[in-house]
Amino acid sequence: MTTISTAHEALQSTVGEARVRPGDAGDEVCGVRPSWVVSPADTAEVSAVLRATAEHGLTVVPTGSGSRLDWGAAPRSLDVLLDVSRLRGVVEHAAGDLVVVARAGTPLAEVRREVAKADQQLAIDQPLPTSTVGGLVATGCSGPGRHFFGGVRDLLIGITVVRADGTVTTSGGKVVKNVAGYDLGRLYTGSHGTLGVITEVVFRLHPLAAEHRWISTTCDSPRRAAEVVAELRHCQQMPTAIELDRPRPDGPIEVCAELEGRPKATHDRAERLAAQVGGGVRDTAPSWWGGYPFDTADSGLRLGVQPAELGDLLEFAERAAQDAGVPLALRGAAGLGVLEAGIPGDCPVPAFTSLLEALRGRAAYAVLLRGDADARAAVDPWGAQPPGVQALMNRVKDQFDPEHRLAPGRFVGGI
Amino acid sequence: MSTTTTAAPAAGLDRLVRRFRELLPEDSVITDPQRLRTYECDGLASYRVVPAVVVLPERTEQIREIVAACAEQEIPFVARGSGTGLSGGALPHAEGVLIVTSKLRRILEVDVANERAVVEPGVINLDVTGAAAPHGYYFAPDPSSQQVCSVGGNVAENSGGAHCLKYGFTTHHILGLEVVTPDGDVVELGGSAREAPGYDLLGTFVGSEGTLGVVTKITVRLLRKPEAVQTLLAGFPSTDDAGAAVSAIIGDGVTPAAVEMMDALSIEAAEQAVACGYPEGAGAVLVVELDGPEAEVEHTFDEVQRHCRAHGAFEIRVAADAHERAMIWKGRKSAFAAVGRISPDYIVQDGVIPRTALSEVLGDIARLSAESGVRVANVFHAGDGNLHPLVLFDGSEEGAEERAEEVSGKIVELCIEHGGSITGEHGVGADKVKYMGRMFTTDDLDTMQLVRCAYDPVGICNPGKVFPTPRLCGEVPGKRRGVHPLTEAGLADQF
Amino acid sequence: MTETPARPGDPEGGSLHDADVLGAFDQHHPPQRALIDDCVHCGFCLPSCPTYDLWGEEMDSPRGRIYLMKEGLEGEPMTDAMVGHMDNCLGCMACVTACPSGVQYGTLINETRAQIERRHERGRWEKLLRTAIFTVFPYPRRLKAMRGPLALYQKARISKLLRRIGLLDKLPPHLRTMESLAPPISRAPKLGTRVPARGTRRATVGMITGCVQSAFFPDVNAATARILSAEGCDVVIPPSQGCCGALSEHSGREQEALGFAKALLDVFEQSDVDYVVINSAGCGSTLKEYPRLLADDPVYAPKAERFAAKVRDIAEVLTELGPVAERHRLPVTIAYHDACHLSHGQGIRSQPRELLRAIPGVELREINRGELCCGSAGIYNLLQPQAAQELGDRKAGNVLDTGASLLVTANPGCSMQIRTALERRGEALPMAHTVQVLDAAIRGADVQELLTDH
């Protein structure tokens, strides 16, 4: 029988007294306060901590900078908030091979700065400035550039994870071309801490382009915006990103595409493309570029449709928002058919719920990324999965974390 | 692995075959030993196992019934596309069923508006591009066998090809899969919209080498054809020179669509096979292809040529049109099979090293070759360090095959030593199982098999592939005592 | 299909060579192990193989057939199954073109077929059919004798009558195919035995008149002689020519083929010619293989070598000599169909195209998937009507898709097969041999001459 004091002692024995402290209000995860906050310094300590939690049946939620800790559902139980932000630093930057190895708690910004020294980029944009690379993998979030470069999962080539029982395990490697074994990196990406604790990641890099340009055009209707987006998608200029912004549900829609490449050549491409869609060329991104249409006081959604259905979605969202009387803001990867939406935090729950349900019925999915307690209580944040898929996900979870101690209840289908 | 006794399989198989004959036309259920033998190997002919029965479904629904019937009898099954794989992934099970998808070759939908297509698993890779081409689109993964390999096979192996340097592998071009899981259920992974919530079961399935289920429908991503393509063939005095040119090109921030290298021996073979007319006397050739917006391509192409000349290229040929481009590629694409003209037998190896170690490793291989007397021809994706050493031997010579296997194995070791991979494209299959333990720890392999247990607890879906020691799926993961050995050795946070 | 072990014709010395049996084969020219070992099992041949394209089964692909041959050499008996898959092979050799390892599949399948003919007991109906075919086709005189009755049959529209009363459909598929394949009979011009060169004589060539060609497409022979003469060749046409043996050789009827070959060699030995010219693709392929066929014969082997060195397809020799006769304008869009034994079998693709393109006014169009056999494959369409029909349909579709007004091909079998396939879908397209187009251009004939059905 585990007592609180023995558990506490066990935790302290792994990382030392100083790095185990009681959780406070600021440590809450979706309104649930952890009993302890534990801060290991390296993979070995993470492993020791998890072993201790396994021995004492403790539930764990990992965190980096905590920038997306308020995403997802509230945990059913939370004993240990495992803070890996001390696992920090670029371990290796093999510039000749365009590969970087970094500890999970390293802020993305730090990694980008490091590789920029060799004129390279880790092609992940980040709306939330403190985000760590481990957190980005766990939440699978990238920005506008994923249209061309792929998302986090497409850039991840190797990963070290500590399993619920403390086992340290690696998958992938340090070379881009690698099909040895299963691609577990993809499984971990977007798993929100429910399969293990990420301690180290390996990414492939790209050359840093010399010149960037943005083409921007303002459309007064969803139809027009969808037409422009389709043109941009089908053109041969290989845009890095295609985004749109519609801060007011019935307001104008700004469609903006980014091009990058060689100096002068990129500007020429941008001019041609701008002429084609009837827009202008900018040498800086618009102010809204790469940010979410919601902040920590708002509810944030993610909606997904097949790219060709963008126009329908925009029209529908406009009407649904007006019907519900909700000032819905939309912004995101129009080229991929994935948009984020923001609803003010003071929106009455019934209106919010009806709007979300309506969107969920229309889009392929509508996820409540973050919201306050009332919002989370009113809806299933993730939405239902087809039964066969949910069953498979449950079985995967059961294998990785049979006791369901990692972020229990935070994920899809109550995983 | 198999829990059945010798008596049970026969009875179970009989029931299974009867079920199959109810389900499929007579010619689609093969039990005749002579015919079965034609399926005993895929593109890796050194591994041969005769299946107990071969079935050739004609509709995707039949795959579900076939798998369900196998699950009911707990009889193992292996899926096979065109049988061109190079790691024995489609090697049959002696007491099992071989499910051949070659009759499932319809392209179900080409959806240009959403830049995707839906195909059956037996559709030939190049035919996808054929269907998309009239709309100005194409399917990017281009293994050298693309005229014959199946998309289902590409999904299983996460196939690459020359253009994966810029465009990624099969996994970057799969938007959805309809899969029959080993218990006979049908699930749709991905398919609706991007970035859907939940575990990325789709991404985990690609490259799982047929061990997690059988694919029945594939939604692929189509790419817009680039505005401009420029291809050059450059002759260099040596592989070192060519390698230095590649480093310079990549170091300059250029991402070519493809950079391929062939050494003198492989050039000789290709010449004999397809008369590609590569620069005479070259110690190495580079095929470099750039694509993208015209302005970009023009600009970078000049730079690429400059780098080639600066590093000793004595001849550079630029393709003037699509025909000339095809001719330049012909030599490279036929290289493997062409080697059969300069040697009675050969082993195709597939390993990856960091690109920066290329020169060193090629030197090591040359030394290995000289010491052992075994010739090695080198063909490889210079841009990403994926080597394809072709180890030549004459099977009729005493001990020649063993010596060649030894050299081949040492090359794989070299790749591991340099922090690379034991396979860049061809997969682990049956052939590289023995090396998995050198590249991954037991814990790593154990973790991967957690996924396998989630899908196939009974162990009937392509058993014996990829993993050296099958995990018993009922097992509760042991509580680890003590520190991880790597960490203990002071190698914390390293692979 | 049931499996039956091999039943050699006469194990007690009645077979040709009283030698050991290696599984399916005996020692007399079994498929060569060395050639089989050239195959690395890469599978590049699969997409080019018509039967793999139709059925998607390994056993009916070149790779699979080679594997079956290998099994046969390793002790497996010659079963009905094995024979069936070999019989399914069209012998089109598209796989030879596709193979990066240089496997000589053409040789392997011919060797295997000869073994099958000697060692395998066919079913009664099949034996009857083959006997019937080989009683008529390799004998020009017998084929010519059919002209009269066939012409009457066609003139009296008996075919239409039979179809209307439903009798035609009741015929077994083989007979139905034969009925449909019969080409329209028209008057046959007399050829003569020597046609002198016009203008300066550049060469003396012997001309092979063939069997089906001379009986049913005599215009083609006439046109061939005229062109050769126009291009400065003395044309020698030995009158007592028999069959070259191609049909027999491709079907594995070894002794029969050898007999025809030797007879033809004797005929041409008399005439001292620079080249021996053939206008039928299937025949040309076999003529060039005479050295291999007659390798065992000490008397005929050297004759075969000398002869084969002189053999040229008409397109080959005209390109080699280079044109001297003026080509007049012929405004016509042509779809050129590569006969398998010309393109895959002899590698002759560019010469006919060059010759056609050199005619002012000609627009040449490529047929989609042109490398896929039309299904004629010698007598394949008579022996495997189902498969041949499917292939014929595909070819007809691809031909029509070109939108050309004239189909040009260099093999009588192909013409018949494609005509029949077009008829099945209610279509028709004028057809001509390459030489007929060239001949019309040299004579300054009106393009209508080619476009009116003859």
Side-chain angles (χ1 to χ4, degrees):
Chain A
M1 174 67 198
T2 290
T3 64
I4 293 188
S5 57
T6 53
H8 192 159
E9 276 155 22
L11 291 172
Q12 283 179 327
S13 73
T14 63
V15 296
E17 258 185 63
R19 290 192 272 116
V20 179
R21 65 170 176 79
D24 58 41
D27 301 313
E28 286 182 5
V29 177
C30 293
V32 178
R33 186 183 299 207
S35 305
W36 299 281
V37 179
V38 181
S39 307
D42 56 31
T43 302
E45 288 193 354
V46 172
S47 172
V49 171
L50 284 170
R51 268 199 317 279
T53 63
E55 277 164 29
H56 296 270
L58 305 176
T59 53
V60 179
V61 169
T63 180
S65 72
S67 58
R68 285 190 182 82
L69 212 52
D70 58 353
W71 286 31
R76 283 195 292 273
S77 140
L78 181 51
D79 298 315
V80 175
L81 183 64
L82 187 59
D83 172 12
V84 296
S85 58
R86 297 175 76 94
L87 275 75
R88 188 170 172 152
V90 170
V91 175
E92 188 186 340
H93 173 207
D97 298 311
L98 291 152
V99 165
V100 68
V101 182
R103 299 191 184 90
T106 316
L108 173 70
E110 193 174 308
V111 177
R112 287 189 67 114
R113 266 198 311 276
E114 184 61 33
V115 303
K117 294 177 189 168
D119 281 330
Q120 294 178 349
Q121 60 167 323
L122 172 55
I124 299 174
D125 311 308
Q126 204 28 247
L128 303 178
T130 63
S131 295
T132 61
V133 287
L136 287 177
V137 173
T139 56
C141 289
S142 184
R146 68 195 190 283
H147 180 89
F148 180 79
F149 291 108
V152 174
R153 74 189 72 240
D154 295 308
L155 300 168
L156 185 68
I157 62 175
I159 187 168
T160 302
V161 167
V162 181
R163 280 164 41 189
D165 64 358
T167 310
V168 179
T169 164
T170 295
S171 101
K174 276 160 55 170
V175 284
V176 174
K177 248 342 223 320
N178 181 6
V179 292
Y182 293 161
D183 194 350
L184 291 189
R186 282 176 185 260
L187 185 64
Y188 295 130
T189 304
S191 62
H192 282 257
T194 57
L195 298 177
V197 178
I198 299 167
T199 59
E200 196 165 293
V201 289
V202 187
F203 287 111
R204 71 159 296 173
L205 301 169
H206 288 87
L208 200 51
E211 186 166 276
H212 293 251
R213 289 289 182 271
W214 286 261
I215 298 132
S216 171
T217 178
T218 303
C219 310
D220 53 15
S221 73
R223 283 287 128 224
R224 177 67 196 137
E227 266 166 29
V228 173
V229 170
E231 259 192 87
L232 292 168
R233 271 197 301 118
H234 295 297
C235 79
Q236 287 173 306
Q237 294 311 311
M238 300 179 99
T240 305
I242 304 174
E243 298 270 307
L244 67 75
D245 182 48
R246 192 181 208 188
R248 286 194 340 270
D250 58 350
I253 303 165
E254 188 181 350
V255 176
C256 186
E258 181 186 5
L259 297 179
E260 65 187 68
R262 299 278 158 184
K264 181 82 179 47
T266 307
H267 188 88
D268 292 343
R269 276 158 61 205
E271 300 251 283
R272 274 176 55 191
L273 197 52
Q276 194 183 319
V277 303
V281 178
R282 314 167 48 116
D283 51 16
T284 57
S287 56
W288 53 264
W289 185 265
Y292 289 133
F294 55 83
D295 64 28
T296 49
D298 302 322
S299 294
L301 311 178
R302 178 175 293 147
L303 313 171
V305 288
Q306 292 278 14
E309 285 161 36
L310 182 69
D312 286 345
L313 177 67
L314 291 172
E315 271 177 359
F316 182 84
E318 180 180 326
R319 273 199 314 277
Q322 284 168 339
D323 288 348
V326 175
L328 180 78
L330 287 173
R331 182 187 300 165
L336 297 173
V338 179
L339 300 178
E340 272 90 35
I343 297 173
D346 57 9
C347 174
V349 171
F352 164 82
T353 314
S354 77
L355 180 55
L356 177 60
E357 295 301 338
L359 290 169
R360 204 165 255 178
R362 185 55 184 238
Y365 63 82
V367 171
L368 175 65
L369 298 170
R370 72 157 320 282
D372 64 16
D374 293 333
R376 275 199 311 276
V379 296
D380 164 17
W382 298 102
Q385 296 295 309
V389 176
Q390 186 65 55
L392 265 178
M393 291 193 198
N394 292 344
R395 275 152 54 180
V396 170
K397 169 69 174 180
D398 288 341
Q399 289 290 328
F400 276 77
D401 179 22
E403 292 158 16
H404 285 241
R405 291 181 302 101
L406 297 179
R410 296 260 286 145
F411 199 49
V412 177
I415 286 177
Chain B
M1 181 86 226
S2 169
T3 55
T4 49
T5 64
T6 36
L13 267 172
D14 279 344
R15 271 196 293 279
L16 202 57
V17 171
R18 272 201 300 278
R19 175 83 191 97
F20 291 157
R21 291 206 192 281
E22 285 166 22
L23 183 63
L24 299 165
E26 193 185 330
D27 285 344
S28 297
V29 181
I30 300 174
T31 49
D32 167 70
Q34 284 184 351
R35 290 187 169 126
L36 288 176
R37 267 198 68 190
T38 61
Y39 284 100
E40 69 185 4
C41 61
D42 57 16
L44 189 64
S46 47
Y47 289 79
R48 293 190 286 273
V49 173
V50 184
V53 54
V54 171
V55 286
L56 295 123
E58 288 172 19
R59 291 194 318 275
T60 55
E61 308 84 73
Q62 291 167 337
I63 291 187
R64 196 205 70 75
E65 309 229 23
I66 291 166
V67 172
C70 290
E72 207 188 345
Q73 305 291 337
E74 287 196 6
I75 283 174
F77 59 90
V78 176
R80 169 184 165 125
S82 302
T84 56
L86 293 171
S87 58
L91 186 67
H93 191 286
E95 282 117 36
V97 181
L98 187 69
I99 305 174
V100 180
T101 62
S102 53
K103 287 186 194 261
L104 295 161
R105 44 199 169 159
R106 288 180 304 156
I107 295 176
L108 301 170
E109 191 189 340
V110 176
D111 178 0
V112 179
N114 285 305
E115 295 171 297
R116 55 179 217 142
V118 183
V119 304
E120 290 183 335
V123 168
I124 289 174
N125 174 295
L126 195 57
D127 288 349
V128 182
T129 293
H135 307 283
Y137 279 82
Y138 74 110
F139 181 51
D142 64 338
S144 298
S145 56
Q146 64 177 157
Q147 310 157 283
V148 49
C149 63
S150 66
V151 181
N154 295 154
V155 167
E157 303 297 326
N158 192 9
S159 306
H163 286 74
C164 60
L165 175 63
K166 184 171 179 185
Y167 292 107
F169 336 122
T170 301
T171 191
H172 298 100
H173 301 276
I174 301 296
L175 297 174
L177 293 174
E178 184 188 87
V179 171
V180 176
T181 53
D183 52 11
D185 271 342
V186 181
V187 279
E188 271 213 44
L189 306 178
S192 56
R194 312 279 197 106
E195 300 180 23
Y199 293 143
D200 186 2
L201 299 179
L202 175 68
T204 319
F205 195 96
V206 181
S208 59
E209 305 200 27
T211 58
L212 300 180
V214 182
V215 168
T216 50
K217 279 202 191 81
I218 306 164
T219 305
V220 301
R221 185 159 83 108
L222 298 175
L223 290 190
R224 184 74 175 91
K225 267 168 67 170
E227 194 177 30
V229 185
Q230 286 278 43
T231 312
L232 69 74
L233 173 72
F236 290 83
S238 74
T239 52
D240 274 352
D241 296 314
V246 175
S247 291
I249 291 167
I250 304 239
D252 203 6
V254 177
T255 307
V259 182
E260 301 287 294
M261 200 191 301
M262 290 168 68
D263 71 1
L265 202 48
S266 51
I267 294 168
E268 184 191 325
E271 194 57 51
Q272 284 191 28
V274 299
C276 42
Y278 281 3
E280 243 187 273
V285 292
L286 278 187
V287 176
V288 184
E289 188 158 287
L290 298 174
D291 66 19
E294 204 166 326
E296 285 287 320
V297 171
E298 266 176 45
H299 195 127
T300 29
F301 201 54
D302 289 336
E303 289 172 32
V304 167
Q305 292 186 66
R306 207 170 27 84
H307 286 303
C308 286
R309 269 187 223 101
H311 289 88
F314 60 85
E315 187 180 331
I316 297 183
R317 275 183 230 163
V318 175
D321 55 32
H323 176 75
E324 288 188 9
R325 177 168 314 117
M327 286 296 106
I328 289 179
W329 277 107
K330 200 169 177 190
R332 166 63 187 90
K333 297 231 166 191
S334 62
F336 292 2
V339 157
R341 298 204 188 224
I342 61 169
S343 172
D345 302 286
Y346 63 94
I347 300 171
V348 183
Q349 202 29 283
D350 168 44
V352 187
I353 47 162
R355 198 190 48 74
T356 45
L358 201 60
S359 180
E360 192 185 329
V361 172
L362 286 179
D364 289 339
I365 294 177
R367 246 189 317 281
L368 258 177
S369 171
E371 280 161 11
S372 62
V374 177
R375 290 187 303 167
V376 179
N378 288 293
V379 176
F380 44 96
H381 309 287
D384 52 31
N386 187 191
L387 309 172
H388 292 303
L390 299 156
V391 184
L392 313 178
F393 67 99
D394 182 349
S396 63
E397 261 176 50
E398 176 105 27
E401 188 163 1
E402 289 72 31
R403 279 195 298 281
E405 290 281 0
E406 212 185 305
V407 168
S408 181
K410 287 199 176 135
I411 293 175
V412 178
E413 294 282 342
L414 268 176
C415 294
I416 299 173
E417 275 158 32
H418 280 86
S421 173
I422 60 176
T423 171
E425 297 179 311
H426 298 170
V428 176
D431 191 39
K432 296 263 173 81
V433 171
K434 53 186 180 275
Y435 298 110
M436 284 293 270
R438 294 274 294 111
M439 189 166 164
F440 296 107
T441 66
T442 323
D443 288 334
D444 298 335
L445 297 175
D446 217 54
T447 308
M448 289 183 212
Q449 294 208 74
L450 293 177
V451 176
R452 197 166 181 178
C453 287
Y455 280 76
D456 182 26
V458 182
I460 54 168
C461 187
N462 206 5
K465 307 286 170 55
V466 186
F467 300 104
T469 319
R471 188 181 200 282
L472 292 175
C473 293
E475 202 179 65
V476 174
K479 292 187 176 177
R480 191 149 297 281
R481 303 271 158 203
V483 178
H484 190 275
L486 277 182
T487 320
E488 199 163 60
L491 298 167
D493 297 346
Q494 284 213 348
F495 295 99
Chain C
M1 245 200 239
T2 55
E3 305 111 79
T4 41
R7 281 171 266 144
D10 182 354
E12 294 309 303
S15 49
L16 275 174
H17 289 253
D18 217 333
D20 290 342
V21 174
L22 328 144
F25 309 114
D26 62 34
Q27 295 283 11
H28 179 71
H29 295 301
Q32 298 172 56
R33 185 79 210 205
L35 298 186
I36 287 176
D37 285 346
D38 279 342
C39 173
V40 299
H41 218 258
C42 70
F44 274 52
C45 53
L46 264 54
S48 66
C49 174
T51 55
Y52 187 79
D53 202 54
L54 284 178
W55 304 319
E57 292 176 15
E58 185 75 14
M59 305 80 64
D60 279 310
S61 74
R63 183 174 66 171
R65 291 191 182 107
I66 291 173
Y67 217 79
L68 287 170
M69 292 174 200
K70 188 164 80 94
E71 291 182 42
L73 286 175
E74 286 169 0
E76 285 288 331
M78 183 182 283
T79 58
D80 283 350
M82 189 189 284
V83 170
H85 293 306
M86 300 302 172
D87 281 350
N88 284 342
C89 173
L90 286 103
C92 69
M93 290 184 287
C95 52
V96 175
T97 301
C99 176
S101 304
V103 177
Q104 294 174 56
Y105 181 85
T107 304
L108 284 171
I109 190 68
N110 284 346
E111 286 169 338
T112 305
R113 293 215 223 255
Q115 290 266 344
I116 291 173
E117 281 312 298
R118 263 185 312 110
R119 294 170 47 70
H120 184 78
E121 191 75 19
R122 290 189 183 279
R124 189 154 38 104
W125 162 241
E126 217 198 319
K127 270 206 283 203
L128 207 66
L129 180 60
R130 283 171 180 259
T131 306
I133 293 170
F134 283 98
T135 307
V136 181
F137 276 75
Y139 299 97
R141 269 205 286 266
R142 295 179 201 178
L143 282 173
K144 283 181 185 141
M146 284 175 63
R147 285 174 54 85
L150 219 76
L152 204 64
Y153 176 87
Q154 286 173 358
K155 278 217 170 58
R157 321 253 192 162
I158 297 178
S159 174
K160 270 216 176 74
L161 181 66
L162 289 177
R163 189 167 300 135
R164 215 176 312 138
I165 63 175
L167 207 62
L168 212 58
D169 289 329
K170 294 214 168 56
L171 287 178
H174 297 89
L175 284 182
R176 227 186 307 142
T177 307
M178 276 194 260
E179 195 278 338
S180 71
L181 281 173
I185 306 291
S186 55
R187 211 108 60 92
K190 282 248 173 288
L191 211 49
T193 60
R194 196 176 185 97
V195 181
R198 283 223 245 114
T200 325
R201 187 181 69 211
R202 297 197 283 161
T204 308
V205 309
M207 198 177 112
I208 297 197
T209 46
C211 310
V212 173
Q213 195 85 288
S214 66
F216 295 125
F217 300 95
D219 277 344
V220 175
N221 282 343
T224 306
R226 282 197 294 268
I227 300 177
L228 286 166
S229 158
E231 297 285 31
C233 296
D234 269 356
V235 187
V236 174
I237 309 158
S240 52
Q241 287 179 47
C243 177
C244 68
L247 285 178
S248 310
E249 208 268 322
H250 292 152
S251 305
R253 296 165 70 103
E254 195 182 347
Q255 289 309 305
E256 198 175 77
L258 287 175
F260 287 133
K262 288 193 247 192
L264 196 64
L265 285 175
D266 287 336
V267 162
F268 274 89
E269 209 183 3
Q270 322 279 342
S271 27
D272 181 25
V273 295
D274 301 318
Y275 300 112
V276 174
V277 176
I278 177 69
N279 56 21
S280 163
C283 309
S285 181
T286 296
L287 293 169
K288 290 179 181 176
E289 281 190 71
Y290 273 5
R292 181 181 65 80
L293 254 115
L294 292 154
D296 291 344
D297 189 315
V299 174
Y300 280 90
K303 294 191 197 186
E305 294 279 353
R306 283 196 300 273
F307 178 83
K310 294 184 188 174
V311 171
R312 296 288 187 280
D313 178 79
I314 180 69
E316 230 182 334
V317 70
L318 290 175
T319 307
E320 240 177 272
L321 289 172
V324 295
E326 188 192 346
R327 274 81 162 130
H328 297 94
R329 216 179 131 69
L330 263 186
V332 63
T333 49
I334 290 176
Y336 177 73
H337 164 74
D338 289 287
C340 291
H341 277 94
L342 199 59
S343 58
H344 301 307
Q346 301 175 61
I348 297 173
R349 292 182 182 83
S350 56
Q351 296 95 319
R353 287 175 167 81
E354 274 167 42
L355 287 168
L356 291 170
R357 279 204 198 96
I359 301 171
V362 162
E363 185 199 325
L364 204 60
R365 298 210 181 140
E366 292 297 327
I367 300 171
N368 188 33
R369 301 244 44 208
E371 75 284 359
L372 261 188
C373 184
C374 66
S376 170
I379 49 167
Y380 188 89
N381 51 6
L382 299 176
L383 298 172
Q384 310 273 358
Q386 212 47 44
Q389 193 163 308
E390 282 189 61
L391 292 169
D393 288 340
R394 259 175 229 215
K395 181 62 73 175
N398 284 328
V399 165
L400 288 171
D401 281 347
T402 63
S405 25
L406 181 68
L407 176 68
V408 173
T409 184
N411 199 47
C414 303
S415 310
M416 295 194 288
Q417 169 77 349
I418 300 176
R419 167 179 289 113
T420 308
L422 288 169
E423 267 169 24
R424 268 200 299 275
R425 39 161 81 196
E427 299 273 357
L429 194 63
M431 293 189 195
H433 190 292
T434 315
V435 300
Q436 288 174 303
V437 180
L438 214 51
D439 175 56
I442 291 174
R443 278 188 295 115
D446 193 276
V447 72
Q448 282 311 309
E449 196 183 289
L450 291 168
L451 298 177
T452 8
D453 202 20
H454 52 84

